[in-house]
Amino acid sequence: MNPVPATCIRIERLGKTFRGQSTPALQAIDLAVAEGEFVALVGASGCGKSTLLRLIAGLEAPSEGQVCLDGRPVQGPGCDRAVVFQDYSLYPWLNVLENVRFCRSLRAHTRDASESEVNSAVERAYALLELMGLDEVRTRYPNQLSGGMRQRVAIARALMAQPRVLLMDEPFGALDAQTREVMHELILRLFEIERSTIVFVTHDVEEAVYLADRVVVLAPQPGRIDSIHPVALPPPGARHPDLKLAPEFLRQKKTVLDRIRATSGVQRDLDKLSRLAELSRRDRRPDAKPATGIH
Amino acid sequence: MAADRLWSIRGTLGGVRYLAIAGVGFASFLGGWWLLAGSGLVDAVFLPEPVAVARRLLGWYADGSLFADIKISIGRVLGGFVLAVLMAVPLGIYIGSFRPVQAFFEPLMEFARYLPAVAFVPLVLLWVGIGEGAKITLIWIGTFFQMVLMVSDNIRQVPMAQIEAAQTLGANRGEVVSLVVFKSALPGIVDTLRVTLGWAWTYLVVAELVAANSGIGYAILRAQRFLQTDKIFVGILLIGLLGLLMDQGFRLVHRRAFPWLHLR
Ligand SMILES: Nc1ncnc2c1ncn2[C@@H]1O[C@H](COP(=O)(O)OP(=O)(O)O)[C@@H](O)[C@H]1O
Ligand SMILES: [Mg+2]
């Protein structure tokens, strides 16, 4: 048996109430993320996924409880927790290579750097570009790239800082389905090579189940953890897009989806819709009068 | 087909054809002027002919004072403008970045910008006398407050995601401001400067009309005394031309300094 991996992020009784709001955006969140684990946060929109991620990043301050990284409470943003946002976070005045190397212009990364570290950083930048399939476009500006390319640059830039954890907030939310599929394979390959700890926010359940070791379902109003679903799938390196059609995969996807529906009020809407469908069927019965149209 | 693109909303137009149409625009302005002035309907005291204006320009050049006047006017505009830039850009960056600074300065600036700069003329003369300081001060009053507010707006338009990405990469406050906020807002700031430079010219003329014995504005004033309408025209057109040149200069800087914004 492998030894139990160390806890990387520990979230304790975490709560967040935004000023001027009566219901907390998040309430009593308890969650531990292990070293090297890939955790996906899913849930209806507005249930607090982004808020939770931003609390881990230190971009928001908790109202209650705390987030600990390696046992130390998070006080604010720092280079041990890099964030990949959905869009608009690349620096349009820097080309691809300069964007990726951005953290090397910061004191936090160069303060005590020896020459060999500087050299290895240069190598790392090029290695990341190659890994991300960006070496051909490294002198281009972000607005010359497709959406998928831009997100690859954002991921490479985050990894360049060698963070303890990589936080991603719907990083593929603005991409088309084909590009997203490619990005999934890229993320899995990357996860295998870099073995980072990843917290990944998405509203796409398929994406969550396919990529993550554990899927956390959040329920809204107040935002809280509804359920946690360990994913039993082949290890990341052995996954293949066709897996998304396998019965076992679909079963796990349905389990998660059912929880989201149950917690988000979607079920209520679906019930209402099926009642409507029932009514229109009744209208169309031969003995009934023709459906009363809308004039 | 091509006509479709030409007249479709925000359609396309090649550079050469653009220039050609712009030339026609200028030519019709000149032609209209020439026809009206040449028709005899309007007295030359009110509307001189283009030829008379051109002759006056040559005369101004020949007596050697044209370039001296242009030079001194440009010097005053740049003096007041650069002074305003040096103060407004740093202040705007602080106002746009830090809420307490914003709370301290912004309402004050909003108030100051509605104070009529022209009405400051008597005060300025009282405070700094009628030397070069007076003109520069007036141009400064006319541009500084607007510039501060516009620069702070440029700063506030930097997407939060760019700032937060830097913070999570380990940037400290100073690095966020200098490496991200300033760089990101710079194209907007240069545009702000381009627009405010136009206003600086306006206040230059005001300053030279009331308190000068040199410069284009003063030349206009003197021409009025001698009823030299054509010289007034030369002065006005000259200022328009200089403004246009400086504007184009700023656009060129914009294209050179921010190539990523002009990619096609
Ligand atoms: N900066 C903020 N100020 C006030 N309310 C906010 C802020 N950010 C998020 N919220 C509120 O908190 C709740 C959760 O938002 P968010 O975390 O963005 O949800 P999700 O990412 O799951 O869609 C929402 O009701 C939202 O309106
Ligand atoms: Mg969100």
Side-chain angles (χ1 to χ4, degrees):
Chain A
M1 270 313 275
N2 291 333
V4 181
T7 301
C8 181
I9 305 168
R10 182 179 294 286
I11 299 169
E12 291 163 337
R13 308 300 301 163
L14 185 68
K16 176 75 187 177
T17 308
F18 285 104
R19 202 188 303 183
Q21 289 186 350
S22 47
T23 32
L26 286 175
Q27 195 173 58
I29 304 286
D30 280 299
L31 183 69
V33 179
E35 177 90 57
E37 194 182 16
F38 195 133
V39 171
L41 305 177
V42 296
S45 108
C47 69
K49 305 182 293 291
S50 297
T51 304
L52 181 51
L53 199 83
R54 292 172 59 80
L55 282 159
I56 299 173
L59 293 169
E60 303 279 359
S63 313
E64 279 157 49
Q66 59 178 2
V67 178
C68 288
L69 181 75
D70 297 327
R72 281 184 304 277
V74 164
Q75 308 281 11
C79 58
D80 46 3
R81 286 150 292 134
V83 182
V84 177
F85 299 90
Q86 183 170 334
D87 211 346
Y88 303 116
S89 76
L90 287 183
Y91 300 130
W93 61 94
L94 300 177
N95 68 27
V96 168
L97 179 62
E98 290 162 344
N99 262 288
V100 170
R101 292 184 40 117
F102 177 78
C103 69
R104 301 302 307 173
S105 59
L106 305 176
R107 256 175 58 81
H109 293 270
T110 52
R111 204 166 25 207
D112 316 306
S114 65
E115 194 175 338
S116 71
E117 275 170 331
V118 171
N119 289 337
S120 75
V122 173
E123 273 167 31
R124 182 170 169 76
Y126 283 99
L128 279 169
L129 287 181
E130 195 175 337
L131 185 64
M132 292 301 214
L134 294 167
D135 32 5
E136 309 252 292
V137 297
R138 63 169 177 265
T139 56
R140 296 232 197 128
Y141 288 108
N143 62 1
Q144 294 176 292
L145 302 178
S146 66
M149 291 271 204
R150 277 207 286 268
Q151 285 312 76
R152 289 191 223 177
V153 178
I155 294 169
R157 182 181 64 179
L159 289 174
M160 186 67 200
Q162 296 189 289
R164 287 280 288 125
V165 284
L166 187 59
L167 307 170
M168 301 203 247
D169 192 354
E170 305 201 19
F172 311 140
L175 305 183
D176 61 83
Q178 287 75 35
T179 312
R180 211 177 313 162
E181 186 138 83
V182 174
M183 296 302 282
H184 292 164
E185 299 312 308
L186 189 72
I187 283 285
L188 287 179
R189 189 151 53 109
L190 203 68
F191 186 57
E192 235 194 337
I193 297 171
E194 295 261 325
R195 268 290 147 207
S196 351
T197 307
I198 299 182
V199 180
F200 187 102
V201 169
T202 176
H203 56 249
D204 181 349
V205 175
E206 184 176 274
E207 182 170 271
V209 175
Y210 187 65
L211 295 176
D213 298 318
R214 274 196 300 162
V215 177
V216 177
V217 175
L218 296 184
Q221 279 182 338
R224 60 195 186 276
I225 292 182
D226 171 77
S227 49
I228 300 180
H229 307 262
V231 179
L233 287 178
R239 289 179 203 177
H240 183 272
D242 286 345
L243 183 64
K244 292 170 188 168
L245 300 170
E248 179 53 22
F249 181 88
L250 293 174
R251 194 189 60 73
Q252 299 191 29
K253 180 176 159 187
K254 180 163 166 42
T255 315
V256 175
L257 216 52
D258 283 344
R259 285 316 304 160
I260 297 178
R261 284 194 186 133
T263 56
S264 64
V266 166
Q267 199 58 54
R268 254 196 330 271
D269 293 344
L270 288 176
D271 290 346
K272 228 181 276 172
L273 281 174
S274 57
R275 267 205 305 283
L276 271 178
E278 178 72 19
L279 282 176
S280 78
R281 261 199 300 281
R282 215 177 300 156
D283 269 356
R284 242 181 265 128
R285 275 204 313 253
D287 53 320
K289 276 187 284 179
T292 44
I294 300 156
H295 300 289
Chain B
M1 238 292 278
D4 285 346
R5 300 294 302 137
L6 210 55
W7 290 107
S8 64
I9 292 171
R10 300 206 184 164
T12 50
L13 185 62
V16 177
R17 275 208 279 179
Y18 184 95
L19 282 181
I21 296 178
V24 171
F26 267 101
S28 11
F29 164 70
L30 275 177
W33 173 14
W34 181 71
L35 277 178
L36 192 60
S39 68
L41 289 173
V42 189
D43 195 313
V45 175
F46 298 123
L47 186 67
E49 278 189 71
V51 183
V53 172
R55 209 179 296 127
R56 179 66 72 175
L57 177 66
L58 286 179
W60 196 350
Y61 169 73
D63 79 22
S65 59
L66 177 66
F67 284 118
D69 282 332
I70 288 180
K71 217 158 78 185
I72 196 133
S73 286
I74 289 182
R76 286 168 184 158
V77 164
L78 290 185
F81 177 74
V82 169
L83 191 67
V85 170
L86 289 179
M87 297 168 77
V89 170
L91 186 58
I93 291 175
Y94 274 97
I95 291 176
S97 302
F98 302 109
R99 289 286 173 204
V101 184
Q102 181 187 356
F104 187 94
F105 282 108
E106 203 168 57
L108 207 62
M109 296 289 148
E110 290 282 5
F111 167 67
R113 122 184 127 110
Y114 281 107
L115 302 178
V118 179
F120 272 85
V121 170
L123 272 183
V124 169
L125 295 183
L126 192 67
W127 288 337
V128 282
I130 53 165
E132 289 308 301
K135 292 115 200 165
I136 288 178
T137 308
L138 195 67
I139 292 170
W140 181 87
I141 292 175
T143 52
F144 172 75
F145 301 105
Q146 298 273 7
M147 209 189 275
V148 169
L149 292 171
M150 285 167 77
V151 169
S152 64
D153 246 2
N154 295 138
I155 295 286
R156 268 193 295 269
Q157 264 161 31
V158 174
M160 204 55 206
Q162 289 182 5
I163 295 171
E164 291 181 338
Q167 289 173 332
T168 62
L169 288 169
N172 60 33
R173 225 165 31 162
E175 285 170 333
V176 171
V177 172
S178 63
L179 296 179
V180 176
V181 174
F182 179 64
K183 293 271 178 67
S184 187
L186 198 54
I189 293 177
V190 169
D191 259 334
T192 292
L193 300 192
R194 182 173 63 79
V195 171
T196 39
L197 183 59
W199 303 338
W201 277 100
T202 312
Y203 291 107
L204 166 86
V205 176
V206 172
E208 287 185 345
L209 283 180
V210 293
N213 46 24
S214 58
I216 305 174
Y218 173 70
I220 292 176
L221 185 73
R222 231 178 33 158
Q224 182 210 358
R225 275 188 211 137
F226 298 104
L227 230 57
Q228 297 169 324
T229 324
D230 42 10
K231 185 147 187 186
I232 298 180
F233 268 63
V234 176
I236 292 174
L237 292 179
L238 215 49
I239 289 173
L241 201 65
L242 289 172
L244 184 68
L245 280 178
M246 289 198 175
D247 198 273
Q248 291 300 315
F250 262 108
R251 284 179 199 273
L252 189 70
V253 167
H254 208 279
R255 273 198 297 280
R256 285 284 154 78
F258 315 120
W260 67 92
L261 289 174
H262 303 276
L263 297 167
R264 259 297 141 129

